[in-house]
Amino acid sequence: MGLQTADAVVIGAGINGAATAYNLIKRGMKDVILLEKQLIASGGTGRSAAIIRQHYSRDELVRMVRRSVDVFTHFDDEVGGDCGFVNTGWAFLVPDYVSDGFSENLARGQRLGVDVREVSIAELKEIEPRVELSDVHRAAYEPGSGYADPRATTHAYVQRFVESGGRLIQLTSANGLALSDDGSRVEGVKTEDGDISAGVVVNAAGPWADRVAAWAGVELPLEVTREEEIIYDVAAVGGAPRLCFSDMAKAIYYRPDGETRMLAGRGYPKDYEIVEPDGYNQEVDVDFIEETTNRLKTRWPAFGSILAINSYTGLYDVTPDWHPVLGAVDGIEGFLMCAGFSGHGFKIGPSVGELMAEEIVDGRASSIEITRFNLRRFAEGKPIGAAYGTNRA
Ligand SMILES: Cc1cc2nc3c(=O)[nH]c(=O)nc-3n(C[C@H](O)[C@H](O)[C@H](O)COP(=O)(O)OP(=O)(O)OC[C@H]3O[C@@H](n4cnc5c(N)ncnc54)[C@H](O)[C@@H]3O)c2cc1C
């Protein structure tokens, strides 16, 4: 590749890097490179359950997800192409010990314009009669939510980026950053295939983002956790669930995967397994399959005979407060963080891409206030709180 130049380099072609690169061009930046060490969506994005719910503990995140739902819903007009969004609706089932946080978040969503309401067990059973809900204390229902296809979404962003003049470089690892002599400015990215000089570098490297930050002497606190998912064939038991569920009462989530399949995984509260992102164990544990299937069968008594037809693992990139790190790095001009999405970063990707582009092109994100998400919050001892404790944003 030799020496290349660009106005900006985005490291990482997951949903957040892809949406950022696309929005940079859309906002008028001419020469943008999207650099990916593997293939598009090969990180957390390609393994995502991609459930899009609007229940959040921070106003900013509700605003981000609301804007993103607009984009998912009108994707062909907003971006172009098909993101695979299926507007099934979403239900949240909670046990009694989180009732206060639940009320708080419900009120927050309603205040910020989310179409969400508390539903009785009887109402929920009208929507999906097959679920057994005797252990559920309360339930919320969001008719406008659903799930999307994370790979198709990311591919569509990259496609539009390339069609608009952006350059995608795949199968090429960044392996360092070039800084000015006094370290106050980023001057480019070193890759295994030559250097790229650029005045703006965005770190959207997902589970590897702490390594990219370290090249500039910046500490991004990140733990990488191993997550597992299962796909079941449910054709013989009445077909896929009618809607997506986050089931805190059973600490699992499940959603339709087309008409005849169901995708499921374990959710909060649970133990997290911290791993190294390179060379982690990609084999799904037998215990996980048995335990998740048992929990599902108690929720779905009709699913006694369901067959698991696929399972796989993926990675979360988790910050100490389970919230992403967004925006400029203090003291290093041109270096920006877009990482640490802590297991909930697919659904906000469309908005994050816009906000990062505003931050870079206009000098400040304006459509939504993101100052609190800056990396400096950790040094300042101001982590972001959440209604259900730190690991449920
Ligand atoms: C099992 C699972 C279920 C999930 N379910 C949901 C859900 O239901 N809803 C939701 O909103 N979110 C969910 N998430 C989280 C969501 O998928 C992620 O937060 C989001 O996809 C992260 O996207 P990203 O672009 O930030 O990072 P990633 O998708 O991880 O992308 C980072 C990219 O950077 C590249 N890269 C890294 N280092 C370098 C380098 N040195 N040089 C070049 N390229 C590099 C990687 O190869 C990778 O492609 C889930 C995640 C998992 C794993």
Side-chain angles (χ1 to χ4, degrees), residues 28-340:
M29 204 174 232
K30 290 280 174 279
D31 195 3
V32 181
I33 288 179
L34 177 59
L35 184 66
E36 168 54 52
K37 72 182 165 94
Q38 260 240 348
L39 297 172
I40 298 165
S42 56
T45 300
R47 308 296 172 98
S48 185
I51 294 174
I52 298 159
R53 45 101 181 158
Q54 301 171 71
H55 187 99
Y56 263 116
S57 297
R58 301 272 340 159
D59 286 13
E60 299 92 329
L61 283 163
V62 176
R63 293 195 171 100
M64 284 183 217
V65 77
R66 276 204 67 202
R67 168 64 192 142
S68 299
V69 167
D70 276 350
V71 176
F72 285 119
T73 307
H74 308 288
F75 198 78
D76 196 26
D77 297 331
E78 288 272 359
V79 179
D82 188 358
C83 66
F85 179 61
V86 188
N87 174 207
T88 54
W90 172 82
F92 187 31
L93 314 179
V94 299
D96 54 357
Y97 68 91
V98 291
S99 200
D100 290 349
F102 175 85
S103 300
E104 216 180 280
N105 280 2
L106 208 61
R108 169 178 298 101
Q110 286 166 343
R111 172 169 55 80
L112 295 172
V114 177
D115 182 8
V116 58
R117 64 177 196 274
E118 182 160 8
V119 286
S120 68
I121 301 301
E123 263 179 285
L124 199 51
K125 284 186 77 111
E126 272 171 36
I127 305 169
E128 176 49 90
R130 291 172 293 172
V131 282
E132 202 292 305
L133 298 168
S134 56
D135 59 336
V136 173
H137 181 61
R138 296 171 71 187
Y141 175 54
E142 292 176 5
S145 296
Y147 70 98
D149 179 334
R151 288 178 186 274
T153 308
T154 311
H155 278 92
Y157 271 109
V158 175
Q159 194 85 37
R160 299 294 89 74
F161 165 73
V162 170
E163 284 167 9
S164 314
R167 285 186 281 162
L168 168 70
I169 303 176
Q170 291 192 95
L171 299 171
T172 306
S173 256
N175 55 19
L177 295 173
L179 298 177
S180 59
D181 288 342
D182 63 359
S184 68
R185 213 174 51 243
V186 76
E187 294 190 333
V189 177
K190 299 174 183 175
T191 86
E192 54 184 5
D193 211 10
D195 295 347
I196 307 168
S197 93
V200 172
V201 174
V202 179
N203 178 5
W208 295 267
D210 53 347
R211 297 172 190 203
V212 172
W215 296 334
V218 173
E219 196 201 337
L220 172 66
L222 211 62
E223 281 182 339
V224 176
T225 67
R226 173 176 166 275
E227 306 296 325
E228 300 166 298
E229 278 184 350
I230 316 178
I231 310 275
Y232 298 90
D233 184 339
V234 289
V237 287
R242 310 270 184 275
L243 65 167
C244 299
F245 288 86
S246 294
D247 185 342
M248 202 189 279
K250 294 235 181 286
I252 48 178
Y253 57 82
Y254 32 92
R255 67 150 168 89
D257 184 35
E259 307 271 300
T260 58
R261 292 188 304 264
M262 171 169 70
L263 177 154
R266 291 287 301 280
Y268 176 76
K270 69 167 189 173
D271 291 332
Y272 291 89
E273 181 188 345
I274 296 165
V275 297
E276 278 297 312
D278 293 316
Y280 74 98
N281 168 21
Q282 296 207 25
E283 207 164 300
V284 176
D285 297 336
V286 172
D287 285 355
F288 167 80
I289 297 178
E290 282 177 358
E291 180 61 28
T292 308
T293 308
N294 286 340
R295 289 178 194 214
L296 270 171
K297 285 180 178 174
T298 54
R299 178 68 72 226
W300 298 79
F303 281 12
S305 61
I306 50 171
L307 224 57
I309 54 168
N310 194 10
S311 62
Y312 50 85
T313 59
L315 300 172
Y316 283 179
D317 50 338
V318 181
T319 66
D321 61 9
W322 288 75
H323 283 81
V325 176
L326 302 174
V329 174
D330 290 339
I332 308 183
E333 201 185 319
F335 190 34
L336 292 100
M337 296 289 163
C338 179

Side-chain angles (χ1 to χ4, degrees), residues 332-369:
I332 308 183
E333 201 185 319
F335 190 34
L336 292 100
M337 296 289 163
C338 179
F341 287 89
S342 307
H344 57 99
F346 174 75
K347 66 177 83 58
I348 53 174
S351 170
V352 165
E354 294 176 351
L355 291 163
M356 292 302 296
E358 291 168 16
E359 184 97 351
I360 292 163
V361 177
D362 308 338
R364 189 182 171 137
S366 54
S367 58
I368 295 165
E369 174 58 49

